[in-house]
Amino acid sequence: MPDLEKELNPMQAAAARTVDGPVLILAGAGSGKTRTLIYRIANMLEQGIDPWNIMAITFTNKAAKEMRDRVRDMMKTDADRIWVSTFHSTCLRIMFKFAEYLGYTSSFEIADTSDQKSILKDIYKDLNVDRKMYPEKRVLNAISHAKDELIGPEEYEKENKGDYSKEMLIRFYKEYQSRLKKNNSMDFDDLIMNTVTLFKENKEALEYYQERFKYIMVDEYQDTNTAQFELVRLLAGKYKNLCVVGDDDQSIYRFRGANIHNILNFEKTYPEARVIKLEENYRSTSNILEAANSVIRNNTQRKAKSLWTENPAGALIHFKQLDTAIGEASYIADEIREKVSRGGRKYGDFAVLIRTNVQSKELEDAFRVRGIEYDLVKGLRFWDTKVIKDLTAYMMTVADGRNDIRTLRVINTPSRGIGAASVEKCVVFSTANGYSLLETTGIAERVPTMNSKAVNAMHGFYDLIAGIRENMASKSLSGVLEEIIEKTGYMDWLEEKSENEEKFFEATEYINKLKETLDIYEEETEEPSLVDFMRVNGIEGNNLDKVGDGDETDKVLIMTMHNAKGLEFPNVYMAGVEEGLFPGFATMTSDDEFAMEEERRLCYVAITRAREELSITCARQRMINGETRYSNPSRFIREIPIGLLDMKVTPVKRSYDDAPKASSRQIARSAFNAAPSAFSSGFKKRSLAESAKAPDYGVGDRVLHFKFGEGTVKDIVNGGRDYEVTVDFDNSGTKKMFAGFAKLKKL
């Protein structure tokens, strides 16, 4: 039997002993949260509580399995009688029992992503709606967000009636939900929303599960959304033996619907709740913890706590500001290689944390050049992203044209009226007659049963490639890329397909990095060749860009800070910690007063991933949108006491979050030197002296925005590279935006 006093620290033991009534366990990073929960369950079983009456909700199946296995190992009991599962698994089991009450049959099905897209495809067709105006991701995200907030189609219509920008989304939601029900299907969001509806409408069902689950525990409570909060509140409503575990300082998933107020307001919901803080950290050195504490104290939306440890002070936080992003990546790669060569470290001991996947390009190149094994965790490698695969396929088709796989990828990208059936006919013909697919498109009239429209489309593709190839001799490699983008209309097509400005911006950043890489290759190579460039970078099917064989764990890990949550490493590098990147420009200019606090929580999470050594790097200049932008070290670095850093930076002198919005925008402009410029299909770099094209509307004009609807232009300011426009929207309030991004249409 577990000895709580000997095997846990005093606060952990208090949390494990407190079984009755509502309990909030604030578990700081590395404070032994999972161990405490296991001992708490073991203590409940030892007290004679029936496993049947215990419920533990986790966010992943892996965490649920780990909890069951560890309880079984400790107590030598049948842990399977404890209901340990995720929110969705829990609701699925409940729905199987009570689905008929809500108008479904007991054999209802779960609609996965492909099912959702199939339903939307039919809706687009039936409503005669252009999916370019309402991309499916935008529609599905809107529906999912509504369900997270327990807002059904009818209520959604009432709340948004009169909002021009939501009229079509209302129709989509109603049609989507109707077709799901008609097909006896629920999507994953329905599982939770329908279970809440069941409990509110069916007292018998609610009482059954309240009696079943007399003791409830919820892990990672800071990540719960409104629907999950209400589900837990209803289940615990009778006995109120509810224990929630989490850390508000690690709430970083608001973009997924997480509501930090669930944990911040727990004591308002349950005034009799006992709050227990786990603040002793077993993971990191005291210097790392002091740095983390110093940063997170600048937030106002948090419960007061401070991590501490009995571990040694350890090394100072290594801070290094490099001239360029390429230099930053080289510095990190060289440092890691040197530490491994000195002995005592392996590559698997290192993690490089980045704010966005776009940053991985320079790091990947630096590691590959040095022969360092690495893996990009839960993200696409630079060369595997769709936009890069598309454009490199075009470049290989232009340069060589013998690889049918490349040609197949781009033959109808962007769409040029070439159907799958016509492509298949060409493939069969080329295989039978020894031609490449590209060659066949040039003689498409010889392909049996090919109609004249398809022949013309094939000839158009062939002429496009041949024309670009003809101009190759007089162009640089990046010039060839620019011509491909311009003549195919790729940027316009990409903008139409992107569900929001951020995604479009990210995609264009990938293209900029490809262009920059081409320029560097051409400068450093005596006889540059497009085909050789592709082979060097692993595009032609060799293993240079694949995860290495052998020990899969002995690799440097590159991952976003979001993906690093829950993990820990002996050595951590935080890269790109500079104003405009982390925090990002959108956060710095946001009207949301708490957007910066979420970024700071993300910084806190990143810092506390390090056990022994933490290095923070940034670049003075970085290519953003094809232009060199100059940045200062992030405010988050300047919130760390100077004495904890091995390189001095100017400390923060005031709270940025308390500054007026005008100051925030000025900071953003200073960090970037200018607002982001508009993207053009030609994708050409704009000189510093060149001004953006003036919009075709003026102050007082009525305009239309794809998201905010109609409004009146109140102000236009020339920012050099783009115009900042202030618009008073009829239903969305006053917004400031850049003309190049906003794509406002004059009415």
Side-chain angles (χ1 to χ4, degrees), residues 138-177:
R138 180 189 169 200
V139 174
L140 289 175
N141 285 341
I143 293 173
S144 178
H145 178 71
K147 292 182 179 182
D148 285 347
E149 295 297 320
L150 296 174
I151 300 172
E154 291 75 20
E155 187 179 355
Y156 188 79
E157 181 177 21
K158 290 178 182 178
E159 288 190 2
N160 297 287
K161 199 165 186 178
D163 186 341
Y164 174 84
S165 64
K166 298 286 181 65
E167 285 183 4
M168 190 54 67
L169 291 177
I170 292 170
R171 295 182 66 186
F172 268 113
Y173 191 4
K174 292 172 72 174
E175 281 292 325
Y176 172 81
Q177 205 61 19

Short mmCIF file of all heavy atoms in Angstrom, two decimals, residues 138-177:
data_model
loop_
_atom_site.label_atom_id
_atom_site.label_comp_id
_atom_site.label_asym_id
_atom_site.label_seq_id
_atom_site.Cartn_x
_atom_site.Cartn_y
_atom_site.Cartn_z
N ARG A 138 -12.67 27.04 -43.05
CA ARG A 138 -13.30 28.16 -42.34
C ARG A 138 -14.70 27.76 -41.87
O ARG A 138 -15.10 28.05 -40.75
CB ARG A 138 -13.38 29.39 -43.26
CG ARG A 138 -14.04 30.59 -42.59
CD ARG A 138 -14.29 31.70 -43.57
NE ARG A 138 -15.15 32.73 -43.00
CZ ARG A 138 -15.83 33.61 -43.71
NH1 ARG A 138 -15.77 33.60 -45.03
NH2 ARG A 138 -16.60 34.50 -43.12
N VAL A 139 -15.44 27.08 -42.75
CA VAL A 139 -16.80 26.67 -42.39
C VAL A 139 -16.77 25.67 -41.25
O VAL A 139 -17.51 25.81 -40.25
CB VAL A 139 -17.51 26.05 -43.61
CG1 VAL A 139 -18.87 25.49 -43.21
CG2 VAL A 139 -17.69 27.10 -44.71
N LEU A 140 -15.92 24.65 -41.35
CA LEU A 140 -15.86 23.62 -40.31
C LEU A 140 -15.36 24.19 -38.98
O LEU A 140 -15.84 23.79 -37.91
CB LEU A 140 -14.96 22.46 -40.76
CG LEU A 140 -15.53 21.58 -41.89
CD1 LEU A 140 -14.50 20.55 -42.34
CD2 LEU A 140 -16.81 20.88 -41.43
N ASN A 141 -14.42 25.12 -39.05
CA ASN A 141 -13.93 25.75 -37.81
C ASN A 141 -15.03 26.56 -37.13
O ASN A 141 -15.15 26.55 -35.90
CB ASN A 141 -12.73 26.65 -38.11
CG ASN A 141 -11.46 25.87 -38.39
OD1 ASN A 141 -11.36 24.71 -38.04
ND2 ASN A 141 -10.50 26.51 -39.03
N ALA A 142 -15.83 27.26 -37.92
CA ALA A 142 -16.92 28.05 -37.36
C ALA A 142 -17.95 27.15 -36.68
O ALA A 142 -18.44 27.45 -35.59
CB ALA A 142 -17.58 28.88 -38.45
N ILE A 143 -18.28 26.04 -37.33
CA ILE A 143 -19.25 25.10 -36.77
C ILE A 143 -18.69 24.46 -35.50
O ILE A 143 -19.39 24.34 -34.48
CB ILE A 143 -19.61 24.01 -37.80
CG1 ILE A 143 -20.38 24.64 -38.98
CG2 ILE A 143 -20.44 22.91 -37.16
CD1 ILE A 143 -20.63 23.69 -40.13
N SER A 144 -17.42 24.07 -35.55
CA SER A 144 -16.80 23.45 -34.38
C SER A 144 -16.75 24.41 -33.20
O SER A 144 -17.03 24.03 -32.06
CB SER A 144 -15.37 22.99 -34.74
OG SER A 144 -14.72 22.43 -33.62
N HIS A 145 -16.40 25.67 -33.47
CA HIS A 145 -16.35 26.66 -32.39
C HIS A 145 -17.73 26.86 -31.77
O HIS A 145 -17.85 26.97 -30.54
CB HIS A 145 -15.81 27.99 -32.93
CG HIS A 145 -15.77 29.08 -31.90
ND1 HIS A 145 -14.86 29.09 -30.87
CD2 HIS A 145 -16.53 30.19 -31.74
CE1 HIS A 145 -15.08 30.15 -30.11
NE2 HIS A 145 -16.08 30.84 -30.62
N ALA A 146 -18.76 26.89 -32.61
CA ALA A 146 -20.12 27.06 -32.08
C ALA A 146 -20.48 25.89 -31.17
O ALA A 146 -21.05 26.08 -30.08
CB ALA A 146 -21.12 27.16 -33.23
N LYS A 147 -20.15 24.68 -31.58
CA LYS A 147 -20.47 23.51 -30.76
C LYS A 147 -19.66 23.49 -29.46
O LYS A 147 -20.16 23.04 -28.42
CB LYS A 147 -20.22 22.23 -31.57
CG LYS A 147 -21.21 22.06 -32.73
CD LYS A 147 -20.96 20.76 -33.48
CE LYS A 147 -21.98 20.58 -34.61
NZ LYS A 147 -21.80 19.32 -35.34
N ASP A 148 -18.40 23.96 -29.54
CA ASP A 148 -17.60 24.07 -28.31
C ASP A 148 -18.27 24.98 -27.30
O ASP A 148 -18.11 24.79 -26.08
CB ASP A 148 -16.20 24.62 -28.63
CG ASP A 148 -15.30 23.59 -29.30
OD1 ASP A 148 -15.66 22.40 -29.28
OD2 ASP A 148 -14.25 23.98 -29.84
N GLU A 149 -18.99 25.97 -27.80
CA GLU A 149 -19.69 26.91 -26.92
C GLU A 149 -21.13 26.49 -26.66
O GLU A 149 -21.92 27.27 -26.11
CB GLU A 149 -19.67 28.31 -27.53
CG GLU A 149 -18.26 28.92 -27.66
CD GLU A 149 -17.61 29.12 -26.31
OE1 GLU A 149 -18.31 29.53 -25.36
OE2 GLU A 149 -16.40 28.85 -26.19
N LEU A 150 -21.48 25.26 -27.07
CA LEU A 150 -22.83 24.71 -26.88
C LEU A 150 -23.89 25.54 -27.60
O LEU A 150 -25.01 25.71 -27.12
CB LEU A 150 -23.16 24.61 -25.39
CG LEU A 150 -22.28 23.64 -24.58
CD1 LEU A 150 -22.61 23.74 -23.09
CD2 LEU A 150 -22.45 22.21 -25.06
N ILE A 151 -23.54 26.02 -28.77
CA ILE A 151 -24.47 26.81 -29.59
C ILE A 151 -24.91 25.97 -30.78
O ILE A 151 -24.10 25.65 -31.65
CB ILE A 151 -23.80 28.11 -30.07
CG1 ILE A 151 -23.36 28.97 -28.88
CG2 ILE A 151 -24.75 28.90 -30.96
CD1 ILE A 151 -22.54 30.18 -29.26
N GLY A 152 -26.18 25.59 -30.81
CA GLY A 152 -26.72 24.81 -31.90
C GLY A 152 -27.06 25.70 -33.08
O GLY A 152 -26.96 26.93 -33.01
N PRO A 153 -27.50 25.11 -34.21
CA PRO A 153 -27.80 25.89 -35.41
C PRO A 153 -28.84 26.99 -35.19
O PRO A 153 -28.67 28.11 -35.68
CB PRO A 153 -28.31 24.84 -36.39
CG PRO A 153 -27.73 23.55 -35.93
CD PRO A 153 -27.66 23.66 -34.44
N GLU A 154 -29.92 26.69 -34.47
CA GLU A 154 -30.97 27.68 -34.27
C GLU A 154 -30.46 28.84 -33.42
O GLU A 154 -30.72 30.03 -33.73
CB GLU A 154 -32.19 27.04 -33.60
CG GLU A 154 -32.94 26.07 -34.49
CD GLU A 154 -32.21 24.74 -34.64
OE1 GLU A 154 -31.34 24.43 -33.78
OE2 GLU A 154 -32.48 24.03 -35.63
N GLU A 155 -29.75 28.52 -32.34
CA GLU A 155 -29.22 29.59 -31.49
C GLU A 155 -28.16 30.39 -32.23
O GLU A 155 -28.07 31.61 -32.08
CB GLU A 155 -28.61 28.99 -30.22
CG GLU A 155 -28.19 30.04 -29.20
CD GLU A 155 -27.62 29.42 -27.93
OE1 GLU A 155 -27.64 28.17 -27.81
OE2 GLU A 155 -27.15 30.19 -27.08
N TYR A 156 -27.37 29.72 -33.05
CA TYR A 156 -26.36 30.40 -33.85
C TYR A 156 -27.00 31.42 -34.79
O TYR A 156 -26.50 32.53 -34.97
CB TYR A 156 -25.56 29.36 -34.65
CG TYR A 156 -24.35 29.91 -35.37
CD1 TYR A 156 -23.16 30.17 -34.69
CD2 TYR A 156 -24.39 30.16 -36.74
CE1 TYR A 156 -22.05 30.67 -35.35
CE2 TYR A 156 -23.28 30.67 -37.41
CZ TYR A 156 -22.11 30.91 -36.71
OH TYR A 156 -21.01 31.41 -37.38
N GLU A 157 -28.15 31.02 -35.34
CA GLU A 157 -28.87 31.93 -36.24
C GLU A 157 -29.40 33.13 -35.47
O GLU A 157 -29.31 34.27 -35.94
CB GLU A 157 -30.02 31.19 -36.92
CG GLU A 157 -30.81 32.06 -37.89
CD GLU A 157 -31.91 31.29 -38.61
OE1 GLU A 157 -32.32 30.23 -38.09
OE2 GLU A 157 -32.34 31.76 -39.67
N LYS A 158 -29.94 32.90 -34.27
CA LYS A 158 -30.47 34.00 -33.47
C LYS A 158 -29.36 34.97 -33.07
O LYS A 158 -29.53 36.19 -33.11
CB LYS A 158 -31.16 33.46 -32.22
CG LYS A 158 -32.46 32.72 -32.50
CD LYS A 158 -33.05 32.18 -31.20
CE LYS A 158 -34.33 31.40 -31.47
NZ LYS A 158 -34.89 30.81 -30.22
N GLU A 159 -28.21 34.42 -32.66
CA GLU A 159 -27.12 35.27 -32.18
C GLU A 159 -26.50 36.10 -33.30
O GLU A 159 -25.96 37.19 -33.05
CB GLU A 159 -26.04 34.42 -31.52
CG GLU A 159 -26.44 33.85 -30.17
CD GLU A 159 -25.25 33.23 -29.45
OE1 GLU A 159 -24.13 33.29 -30.00
OE2 GLU A 159 -25.44 32.70 -28.34
N ASN A 160 -26.54 35.60 -34.53
CA ASN A 160 -25.84 36.27 -35.63
C ASN A 160 -26.77 36.85 -36.68
O ASN A 160 -26.32 37.22 -37.77
CB ASN A 160 -24.86 35.29 -36.29
CG ASN A 160 -23.78 34.83 -35.34
OD1 ASN A 160 -22.87 35.58 -35.01
ND2 ASN A 160 -23.88 33.58 -34.90
N LYS A 161 -28.05 36.92 -36.36
CA LYS A 161 -29.00 37.45 -37.32
C LYS A 161 -28.67 38.91 -37.62
O LYS A 161 -28.43 39.71 -36.72
CB LYS A 161 -30.43 37.34 -36.78
CG LYS A 161 -31.49 37.42 -37.86
CD LYS A 161 -32.84 36.94 -37.35
CE LYS A 161 -33.85 36.88 -38.48
NZ LYS A 161 -35.17 36.37 -38.01
N GLY A 162 -28.63 39.25 -38.89
CA GLY A 162 -28.31 40.60 -39.29
C GLY A 162 -26.83 40.82 -39.55
O GLY A 162 -26.44 41.87 -40.06
N ASP A 163 -25.98 39.83 -39.20
CA ASP A 163 -24.55 39.93 -39.45
C ASP A 163 -24.28 39.41 -40.85
O ASP A 163 -24.34 38.20 -41.10
CB ASP A 163 -23.77 39.13 -38.40
CG ASP A 163 -22.26 39.31 -38.53
OD1 ASP A 163 -21.80 39.74 -39.61
OD2 ASP A 163 -21.54 39.01 -37.56
N TYR A 164 -23.99 40.32 -41.77
CA TYR A 164 -23.80 39.95 -43.17
C TYR A 164 -22.74 38.87 -43.33
O TYR A 164 -22.89 37.94 -44.13
CB TYR A 164 -23.39 41.19 -43.98
CG TYR A 164 -23.03 40.92 -45.41
CD1 TYR A 164 -24.00 40.82 -46.41
CD2 TYR A 164 -21.69 40.75 -45.78
CE1 TYR A 164 -23.66 40.56 -47.72
CE2 TYR A 164 -21.33 40.49 -47.10
CZ TYR A 164 -22.32 40.40 -48.06
OH TYR A 164 -21.97 40.14 -49.36
N SER A 165 -21.65 38.96 -42.55
CA SER A 165 -20.55 38.02 -42.70
C SER A 165 -20.90 36.62 -42.22
O SER A 165 -20.19 35.66 -42.53
CB SER A 165 -19.31 38.52 -41.94
OG SER A 165 -19.57 38.56 -40.54
N LYS A 166 -22.00 36.47 -41.46
CA LYS A 166 -22.35 35.17 -40.91
C LYS A 166 -23.55 34.51 -41.60
O LYS A 166 -23.89 33.37 -41.29
CB LYS A 166 -22.68 35.32 -39.41
CG LYS A 166 -21.53 35.83 -38.55
CD LYS A 166 -20.50 34.76 -38.33
CE LYS A 166 -19.35 35.25 -37.45
NZ LYS A 166 -19.77 35.56 -36.08
N GLU A 167 -24.20 35.24 -42.52
CA GLU A 167 -25.42 34.71 -43.14
C GLU A 167 -25.20 33.36 -43.80
O GLU A 167 -25.98 32.43 -43.63
CB GLU A 167 -25.96 35.72 -44.15
CG GLU A 167 -26.65 36.92 -43.51
CD GLU A 167 -27.23 37.87 -44.54
OE1 GLU A 167 -27.15 37.54 -45.75
OE2 GLU A 167 -27.76 38.93 -44.15
N MET A 168 -24.14 33.25 -44.58
CA MET A 168 -23.89 31.99 -45.27
C MET A 168 -23.44 30.90 -44.31
O MET A 168 -23.77 29.73 -44.47
CB MET A 168 -22.84 32.20 -46.37
CG MET A 168 -22.69 30.99 -47.30
SD MET A 168 -24.26 30.44 -48.04
CE MET A 168 -24.62 31.84 -49.11
N LEU A 169 -22.68 31.29 -43.26
CA LEU A 169 -22.26 30.31 -42.27
C LEU A 169 -23.47 29.73 -41.53
O LEU A 169 -23.49 28.56 -41.16
CB LEU A 169 -21.28 30.94 -41.27
CG LEU A 169 -19.90 31.30 -41.83
CD1 LEU A 169 -19.06 32.00 -40.76
CD2 LEU A 169 -19.17 30.06 -42.33
N ILE A 170 -24.47 30.56 -41.30
CA ILE A 170 -25.71 30.09 -40.67
C ILE A 170 -26.35 29.01 -41.53
O ILE A 170 -26.76 27.95 -41.04
CB ILE A 170 -26.69 31.26 -40.46
CG1 ILE A 170 -26.14 32.24 -39.40
CG2 ILE A 170 -28.07 30.76 -40.06
CD1 ILE A 170 -26.92 33.54 -39.31
N ARG A 171 -26.43 29.25 -42.82
CA ARG A 171 -27.02 28.27 -43.74
C ARG A 171 -26.20 26.98 -43.77
O ARG A 171 -26.75 25.87 -43.76
CB ARG A 171 -27.13 28.87 -45.15
CG ARG A 171 -28.07 30.05 -45.25
CD ARG A 171 -28.16 30.57 -46.68
NE ARG A 171 -28.80 29.59 -47.56
CZ ARG A 171 -28.89 29.75 -48.89
NH1 ARG A 171 -28.38 30.83 -49.46
NH2 ARG A 171 -29.48 28.83 -49.62
N PHE A 172 -24.88 27.16 -43.81
CA PHE A 172 -24.01 25.98 -43.82
C PHE A 172 -24.23 25.14 -42.56
O PHE A 172 -24.35 23.91 -42.63
CB PHE A 172 -22.54 26.40 -43.89
CG PHE A 172 -22.00 26.50 -45.29
CD1 PHE A 172 -21.65 27.72 -45.82
CD2 PHE A 172 -21.84 25.36 -46.07
CE1 PHE A 172 -21.15 27.82 -47.11
CE2 PHE A 172 -21.34 25.44 -47.35
CZ PHE A 172 -20.99 26.67 -47.88
N TYR A 173 -24.26 25.80 -41.40
CA TYR A 173 -24.40 25.09 -40.13
C TYR A 173 -25.72 24.31 -40.09
O TYR A 173 -25.76 23.13 -39.73
CB TYR A 173 -24.30 26.08 -38.97
CG TYR A 173 -24.17 25.47 -37.59
CD1 TYR A 173 -24.07 24.10 -37.39
CD2 TYR A 173 -24.17 26.29 -36.46
CE1 TYR A 173 -23.94 23.56 -36.12
CE2 TYR A 173 -24.05 25.77 -35.18
CZ TYR A 173 -23.94 24.40 -35.02
OH TYR A 173 -23.82 23.86 -33.76
N LYS A 174 -26.80 24.96 -40.48
CA LYS A 174 -28.12 24.31 -40.45
C LYS A 174 -28.15 23.11 -41.40
O LYS A 174 -28.64 22.04 -41.04
CB LYS A 174 -29.20 25.33 -40.81
CG LYS A 174 -29.39 26.42 -39.76
CD LYS A 174 -30.33 27.52 -40.22
CE LYS A 174 -31.76 27.03 -40.26
NZ LYS A 174 -32.70 28.15 -40.57
N GLU A 175 -27.62 23.30 -42.61
CA GLU A 175 -27.62 22.22 -43.58
C GLU A 175 -26.71 21.07 -43.13
O GLU A 175 -27.05 19.90 -43.24
CB GLU A 175 -27.15 22.73 -44.95
CG GLU A 175 -28.22 23.46 -45.72
CD GLU A 175 -29.34 22.53 -46.17
OE1 GLU A 175 -29.06 21.36 -46.48
OE2 GLU A 175 -30.50 22.97 -46.18
N TYR A 176 -25.55 21.43 -42.64
CA TYR A 176 -24.57 20.44 -42.19
C TYR A 176 -25.14 19.57 -41.08
O TYR A 176 -25.08 18.33 -41.12
CB TYR A 176 -23.30 21.15 -41.71
CG TYR A 176 -22.28 20.27 -41.04
CD1 TYR A 176 -21.39 19.51 -41.79
CD2 TYR A 176 -22.19 20.21 -39.65
CE1 TYR A 176 -20.44 18.70 -41.17
CE2 TYR A 176 -21.25 19.41 -39.02
CZ TYR A 176 -20.37 18.66 -39.78
OH TYR A 176 -19.44 17.86 -39.16
N GLN A 177 -25.76 20.22 -40.08
CA GLN A 177 -26.29 19.47 -38.95
C GLN A 177 -27.49 18.62 -39.37
O GLN A 177 -27.66 17.49 -38.90
CB GLN A 177 -26.68 20.44 -37.83
CG GLN A 177 -26.68 19.83 -36.44
CD GLN A 177 -25.30 19.32 -36.04
OE1 GLN A 177 -24.28 19.72 -36.61
NE2 GLN A 177 -25.26 18.42 -35.08
#
